[in-house]
């Protein structure tokens, strides 16, 4: 029997479909509408989600729309999701000429969001604090399992932007400030999402350079030199493409005066040609239109569409109208866009649908080659066909574990923690009784702020602590005050803020807690740092808890009571002041103090953090041996042992940094080069052998090439620094991104 490869089968199916499609059907596939565009209500308060059969048929049968996204401002049950998507698929399959199913996309940013009976996980920034690749991959897998049940096979996740500006309202969606951790965890998540039979197409976003505006505000202009774009912002996307990410969403903003949606150099020359990305490039929300209405590089909608198509876009999240496809037909008919250009996008979109298991039955309909191997069984995954599963203990357990591993203990004066399990606690602060503050955005609703949207089964921090401790009402009765502060969730434009200071009423709550004279334990629930303005000096312990999700309370309780030692480490630099921001990979000039000296330690006038990137305390102690560093022709081997010298089992996250002492472009003081996570029993030792590729020592030159210059370097690990020398090595053009 002749064996047909999966790729050949995909191509055969899509080529066959393409050859039978009209121009209008093709541009319809390139159009994505939001649910509101085909619904009865318009998402006003109290509106139930109900499809409008006239609008639905118009979108599918007349306008040939190929994809939908989103949800109303309310979560739905799994059954509602399946019924909704089943209804759309039914019309798409049986009433459209070619019967091509639609692909429904959703932002399952930290678990299968917008679904009442699914499990949510900590936000990405928290996952960054776990430094745990295996955990992130597992979360990707479990999210895929739940999305499959809903019939939403396209996930607009992971965010591969860098969290380098703490004012940015999407900081919590990033895995942290550093390109290496974002690359590593982002690619693990994609693997998890796309690797199982439950294949869910990932969407790496937002390509490229999003969130770096000097204003800190969402979608405001950014200035990024090509060299920096390649050094910092490109690697996570390169890695995502290397592991086969199915789609990429474009950054809504502009870089150096050019909106990314109209940037041929970024979308075609860089992304398609240089990075060899052959998946679907989708716009962000209404962003083609915004080339005209906001960015004003196009004088009308038609020119905006032409610019985006010329730049390399495959699909437009329009999301309310089909003007995109109507005007695109006109552009082709007038000869301004070729039909071949349209075909290349539609082929990629159909390939994506095939990967999601949506075209297998089409193939069976038309099939002369019905028996051809597809490299996996056809799954026929229409919304109303998926086998039923319920939220499992495994998923809840995973979410709990992720929450525990993501909480960072920043300060523990006199080892006040862990607490005696009989300790009586007074609980203060708005986050103690808020489900919204511990979840953050993209939860059951977009902004995540509506307390009523959270399912009854979830516990607040107060409810969870009550199960391990005696939670008292009066300060005279308590042994310690736990103050749960933070921020009310918000994201994107609604999340723009003017300053990083903690809200005044919350500062008052902390001050009142300090006045009780009892030990104060500050727990900080927010998807970024907020300024504590030195108040930490007057409290005993401080946690950055982030937004750990549904098991926040249980996780905090397990840590406070000492059942589990904290192990999280900051994936970002916690600034000392609300107006001076910097990252761990800052330059030496940043450190110059008032005496113009370059201090090794942080000085008053040089940059200094409240807590450094990678900081995080444990209840145990770990000792690192001096690293052995050996240079070979391919990599730098770093070997050392880590011993748990404390009294209790604990997890240790091992961070390895490198330092280039002198270079033709000012070198960073240090840069993250590797990380590992280990669970160690008391007294247990583990050997860590890392091979750092030369890339870890490389940088982008003025000629925009990735190079390594010979000279002196250091490895920094566990508070130790070991120097080594690279001789006669210059690896220009080592990786295809140069
Ligand atoms: C966000 C994207 C998101 C899209 C669809 C946009 O506003 O920037 O991250 O995927 O909406 O919800």
């Amino acid at each position: 029997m002749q064996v047909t490869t999966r790729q050949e089968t995909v191509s055969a199916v899509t080529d066959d479909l393409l050859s039978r499609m009209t121009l209008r059907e093709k541009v319809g596939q390139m159009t994505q509408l939001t649910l509101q565009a085909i619904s009865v209500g318009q998402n006003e308060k109290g509106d139930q989600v109900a499809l409008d059969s006239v609008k639905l048929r118009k979108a599918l049968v007349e306008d040939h729309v190929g994809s939908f996204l989103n949800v109303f401002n309310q979560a739905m049950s799994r059954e509602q999701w399946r019924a909704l998507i089943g209804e759309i698929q039914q019309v798409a399959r049986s009433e459209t000429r070619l019967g091509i199913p639609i692909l429904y996309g959703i932002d399952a940013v930290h678990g299968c969001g917008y679904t009442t009976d699914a499990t949510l996980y900590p936000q990405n920034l928290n996952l960054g604090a776990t430094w745990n690749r295996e955990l992130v991959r597992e979360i990707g897998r479990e999210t895929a399992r739940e999305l499959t049940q809903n019939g939403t096979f396209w996930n607009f996740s992971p965010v591969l932007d860098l969290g380098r500006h703490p004012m940015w309202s999407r900081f919590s969606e990033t895995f942290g400030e550093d390109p290496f951790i974002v690359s590593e965890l982002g690619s693990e998540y994609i693997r998890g999402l796309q690797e199982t039979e439950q294949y869910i197409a990932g969407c790496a976003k937002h390509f490229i350079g999003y969130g770096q505006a000097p204003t800190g505000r969402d979608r405001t202009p950014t200035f990024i030199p090509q060299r920096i774009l390649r050094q910092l912002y490109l690697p996570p996307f390169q890695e995502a493409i290397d592991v086969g990410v199915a789609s990429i969403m474009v950054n809504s903003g502009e870089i150096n005066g050019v909106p990314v949606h109209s940037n041929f150099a970024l979308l075609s020359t860089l992304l398609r040609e240089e990075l060899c990305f052959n998946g679907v490039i989708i716009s962000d929300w209404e962003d083609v239109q915004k080339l005209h209405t906001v960015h004003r590089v196009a004088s009308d909608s038609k020119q905006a569409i032409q610019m985006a198509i010329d730049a390399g876009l495959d699909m437009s999240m329009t999301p309310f109208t089909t003007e995109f496809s109507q005007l695109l037909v006109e552009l082709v008919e007038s000869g301004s866009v070729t039909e071949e250009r349209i075909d290349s996008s539609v082929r990629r979109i159909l390939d994506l649908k095939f990967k999601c298991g949506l075209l297998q039955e089409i193939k069976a309909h038309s099939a002369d080659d019905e028996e051809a191997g597809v490299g996996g069984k056809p799954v026929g995954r229409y919304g109303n066909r998926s086998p039923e599963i319920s939220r499992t203990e495994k998923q809840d357990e995973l979410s709990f574990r992720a929450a525990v591993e993501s909480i960072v203990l920043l300060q523990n004066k006199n080892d006040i923690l862990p607490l005696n399990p009989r300790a009586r606690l007074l609980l203060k602060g708005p986050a103690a009784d808020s489900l919204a503050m511990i979840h953050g955005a993209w939860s059951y609703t977009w902004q995540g702020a509506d307390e009523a949207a959270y399912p009854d089964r979830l516990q607040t921090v107060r409810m969870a602590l009550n199960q391990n401790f005696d939670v008292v009402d009066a300060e005279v009765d308590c042994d310690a005050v736990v103050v749960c502060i933070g921020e009310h969730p918000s994201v994107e434009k609604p999340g723009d803020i003017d300053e990083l200071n903690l809200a005044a009423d919350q500062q008052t709550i902390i001050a009142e807690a300090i006045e009780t004279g009892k030990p104060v334990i500050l727990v900080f629930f927010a998807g970024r740092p907020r300024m504590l303005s030195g108040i930490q000096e007057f409290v005993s312990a401080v946690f950055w808890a982030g937004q750990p999700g549904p098991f926040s309370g249980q996780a905090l309780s397990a840590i406070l009571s000492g059942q589990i030692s904290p192990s999280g480490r900051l994936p970002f630099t916690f600034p000392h002041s609300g107006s001076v921001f910097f990252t761990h990979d800052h330059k030496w000039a940043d450190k110059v103090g008032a005496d113009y000296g370059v201090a090794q330690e942080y000085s008053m006038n040089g940059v200094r953090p409240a807590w450094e990137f990678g900081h995080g305390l444990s209840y145990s102690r770990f000792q690192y041996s001096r690293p052995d560093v050996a240079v070979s022709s391919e990599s730098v081997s770093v070997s050392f042992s880590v011993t748990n010298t404390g009294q209790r089992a604990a997890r240790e996250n091992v961070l390895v940094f490198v330092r280039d002492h002198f270079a033709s472009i000012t070198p960073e003081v240090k840069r993250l080069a590797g990380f590992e996570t280990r669970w160690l029993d008391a007294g247990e030792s583990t050997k860590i052998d890392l091979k750092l590729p030369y890339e870890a020592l490389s940088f982008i030159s003025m000629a925009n090439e990735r190079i390594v210059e010979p000279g002196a370097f250091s490895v920094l690990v566990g508070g130790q620094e070991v120097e080594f020398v690279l001789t006669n090595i210059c690896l220009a053009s080592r990786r295809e991104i140069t």
Side-chain angles (χ1 to χ4, degrees):
M1 186 185 116
Q2 195 191 344
V3 177
T4 312
T5 66
R6 184 181 178 87
Q7 190 49 48
E8 282 165 354
T9 310
V10 179
S11 305
V13 173
T14 52
D15 285 349
D16 174 56
L17 275 173
L18 251 183
S19 68
R20 292 190 284 135
M21 288 168 90
T22 64
L23 177 60
R24 278 167 208 283
E25 285 167 339
K26 288 176 189 173
V27 296
Q29 288 295 321
M30 296 168 70
T31 307
Q32 186 180 58
L33 294 185
T34 184
L35 179 59
Q36 282 78 354
I38 48 169
S39 304
V40 178
Q42 287 306 297
N43 198 17
E44 300 300 328
K45 220 173 167 55
D47 275 354
Q48 291 303 309
V49 180
L51 291 172
D52 178 320
S53 100
V54 174
K55 288 184 194 161
L56 176 65
R57 283 175 174 76
K58 176 164 184 325
L60 289 175
V61 184
E62 279 177 41
D63 297 329
H64 317 288
V65 171
S67 182
F68 296 91
L69 86 153
N70 221 5
V71 66
F72 276 26
N73 201 22
Q74 58 185 266
M76 297 194 287
S77 71
R78 187 169 283 133
E79 282 64 37
Q80 285 172 309
W81 268 115
R82 284 165 51 177
L84 177 87
I85 292 176
E87 196 178 333
I88 303 174
Q89 297 293 29
Q90 181 60 30
V91 177
R93 291 181 61 218
S94 57
E95 296 183 34
T96 65
R97 194 175 70 87
L98 294 169
I100 302 175
I102 60 99
L103 182 54
Y104 205 103
I106 202 80
D107 295 281
V109 171
H110 59 118
C112 180
Y114 302 137
T115 307
T116 46
D117 34 10
T119 299
L120 292 180
Y121 297 93
Q123 296 277 352
N124 286 348
L125 194 61
N126 279 73
L127 297 185
T130 72
W131 303 86
N132 191 334
R133 295 176 178 86
E134 177 269 326
L135 183 82
V136 173
R137 188 163 178 165
E138 191 63 27
I139 288 174
R141 246 183 242 135
E142 293 307 320
T143 302
R145 274 165 60 81
E146 298 205 285
L147 284 166
T148 292
Q149 306 313 308
N150 286 3
T152 45
F153 304 142
W154 193 5
N155 183 3
F156 301 133
S157 183
V159 167
L160 297 184
D161 308 316
L162 306 185
R164 294 175 82 84
H165 198 317
M167 297 273 286
W168 186 37
S169 61
R170 308 191 72 169
F171 195 83
S172 64
E173 290 181 63
T174 74
F175 290 105
E177 72 183 27
D178 175 77
F180 183 67
I181 186 175
V182 174
S183 302
E184 292 290 295
L185 298 187
S187 56
E188 288 300 334
Y189 181 83
I190 292 163
R191 283 195 176 100
L193 206 58
Q194 298 190 168
E195 76 188 341
T196 64
E197 258 194 25
Q198 326 273 345
Y199 182 95
I200 293 292
C203 184
K205 67 187 189 184
H206 307 78
F207 187 83
I208 184 176
Y210 187 31
Q212 305 311 316
T215 60
R217 296 187 160 243
D218 192 33
R219 292 165 158 97
T220 53
T222 304
F223 309 93
I224 310 178
Q226 177 77 201
R227 207 180 65 67
I228 301 295
L229 198 78
R230 285 170 178 269
Q231 175 137 342
L232 296 178
Y233 302 104
L234 195 57
F237 288 97
Q238 166 83 67
E239 196 66 36
I241 292 166
D242 289 352
V243 302
V245 72
S247 64
I248 285 182
M249 188 184 292
V250 182
N251 166 9
S252 291
E254 64 167 78
I255 302 179
N256 308 334
V258 183
V260 184
H261 281 78
S262 62
N263 194 326
F264 180 84
L266 291 180
L267 299 188
S268 289
T269 314
L270 179 60
L271 184 54
R272 286 280 185 233
E273 286 168 31
E274 202 175 309
L275 304 187
C276 300
F277 178 63
N278 201 26
V280 168
I281 302 180
I282 181 170
S283 81
D284 202 343
W285 186 268
E286 221 173 356
D287 274 324
V288 175
Q289 179 69 0
K290 285 181 186 162
L291 292 175
H292 167 54
T293 56
V294 175
H295 297 296
R296 293 174 172 254
V297 289
S299 55
D300 58 24
S301 302
K302 197 184 229 178
Q303 191 188 6
I305 294 165
Q306 166 112 45
M307 287 176 115
I309 294 295
D310 286 351
L313 194 78
D314 292 320
M315 187 184 283
S316 175
M317 187 187 285
T318 74
F320 294 101
T321 78
T322 52
E323 184 193 54
F324 170 79
S325 38
Q326 286 151 19
L327 294 178
L328 190 48
V329 167
E330 289 178 24
L331 284 167
V332 176
E333 285 172 351
S334 67
S336 304
V337 171
T338 66
E339 193 152 350
E340 290 71 47
R341 168 67 191 82
I342 300 293
D343 286 355
S344 63
S345 286
V346 178
R347 184 172 287 111
R348 282 190 281 262
I349 291 164
L350 294 176
D351 282 358
L352 179 64
K353 290 192 172 183
F354 189 95
K355 281 188 193 150
C356 291
L358 288 164
L359 295 188
Q360 277 72 359
E361 291 197 6
I362 297 263
K363 173 182 173 299
H365 285 314
S366 63
D368 4 330
D369 57 348
E370 206 163 329
E371 282 176 17
V374 226
K377 60 177 191 294
V379 279
R381 300 163 73 196
Y382 301 99
N384 52 1
R385 288 258 195 107
S386 307
E388 198 151 346
I389 59 157
S390 54
R391 206 163 42 79
T392 62
E393 274 178 25
K394 182 181 172 204
Q395 287 153 349
D396 285 354
E397 205 277 326
L398 181 64
S399 184
F400 168 73
R401 186 152 65 88
V404 167
E405 289 188 28
S406 75
I407 292 177
V408 185
L409 177 57
L410 297 170
Q411 171 177 308
N412 188 14
K413 279 190 193 159
N414 305 321
D415 286 340
I416 184 176
L417 300 177
L419 295 169
N420 183 322
R422 284 184 304 279
R424 291 161 306 162
L425 303 180
L426 180 64
L427 213 46
K428 284 181 162 288
D433 301 296
S434 164
L435 288 168
M437 287 173 91
I438 60 178
H439 278 82
W442 305 108
S443 293
Y444 297 93
T445 58
W446 172 42
Q447 295 289 310
D450 181 4
E451 295 285 348
Y454 289 85
D456 290 343
R457 66 171 188 278
L458 301 179
Q459 291 189 3
T460 60
V461 170
R462 185 182 301 278
M463 288 155 87
L465 285 189
N466 234 332
Q467 289 175 1
N468 262 349
F469 296 95
D470 195 3
V471 177
V472 297
D473 292 329
E475 59 189 56
V476 284
D477 297 331
C478 79
D479 299 310
V481 189
V482 177
V483 185
C484 296
I485 53 163
E487 60 183 8
H488 291 282
S490 60
V491 74
E492 299 193 53
K493 291 308 291 181
D496 279 349
I497 54 172
D498 289 336
E499 53 173 31
L500 265 192
N501 286 342
L502 191 65
D505 55 343
Q506 297 196 46
Q507 292 190 27
T508 308
I509 296 172
I510 303 173
E512 285 168 2
I514 293 169
E515 275 166 24
T516 64
K518 300 285 172 83
V520 174
I521 298 157
L522 207 57
V523 190
F524 191 61
F525 287 100
R528 61 172 146 212
R530 282 273 188 165
M531 290 308 94
L532 298 175
S533 312
I535 216 163
Q536 63 267 31
E537 284 167 29
F538 304 96
V539 305
S540 298
V542 183
F543 285 99
W544 179 79
Q547 292 159 334
F551 296 96
S552 301
Q554 292 91 326
L556 180 65
S557 189
I559 289 175
L560 286 176
S561 65
Q563 287 163 29
I564 305 177
S565 170
S567 60
R569 286 182 182 273
L570 289 177
F572 58 89
T573 303
F574 205 118
H576 178 264
S577 116
S579 43
V580 181
F581 306 127
F582 68 102
T583 48
H584 76 284
D585 48 0
H586 58 274
K587 303 292 182 76
W588 287 99
D590 286 316
K591 292 178 76 94
V592 174
D595 60 356
Y596 292 95
V598 185
Q600 281 290 331
E601 298 307 319
Y602 293 104
S603 64
M604 288 300 280
N605 288 38
V607 290
R608 62 195 165 117
W611 291 285
E612 278 191 83
F613 174 84
H615 177 68
L617 303 173
S618 168
Y619 294 156
S620 200
R621 279 187 308 280
F622 296 90
Q623 202 168 24
Y624 286 64
S625 71
R626 191 163 172 78
D628 286 330
V629 179
V631 180
S632 77
S633 61
E634 277 298 305
S635 59
V636 177
S637 308
V638 182
S639 309
F640 53 95
S641 61
V642 181
T643 307
N644 181 349
T645 56
Q647 303 298 314
R648 52 167 66 230
R651 177 173 293 282
E652 172 70 344
N653 291 325
V654 175
L655 274 51
V656 178
F657 296 89
V658 288
R659 169 176 294 163
D660 186 352
H661 287 269
F662 299 95
S664 58
I665 299 266
T666 55
E668 301 87 358
V669 169
K670 65 178 181 179
R671 182 152 32 110
L672 182 72
F675 60 89
E676 293 290 318
T677 181
R678 293 282 193 283
W679 176 263
L680 292 174
D681 285 332
E684 192 182 348
S685 248
T686 185
K687 180 98 190 299
I688 297 201
D689 295 304
L690 286 181
K691 280 205 187 317
L692 305 181
Y694 279 150
E695 248 160 38
L697 310 174
S698 70
F699 60 89
I700 305 292
S701 71
M702 285 305 285
N704 294 326
E705 289 175 341
R706 186 167 280 280
I707 62 169
V708 180
E709 290 178 342
F713 292 83
S714 290
V715 165
L716 299 99
V717 62
Q720 310 180 69
E721 176 170 355
V722 175
E723 277 197 35
F724 63 96
V725 175
L726 279 189
T727 52
N728 299 324
I729 296 161
C730 182
L731 303 177
S733 310
R734 190 174 162 73
R735 209 170 167 163
E736 298 77 44
I737 61 170
T738 57

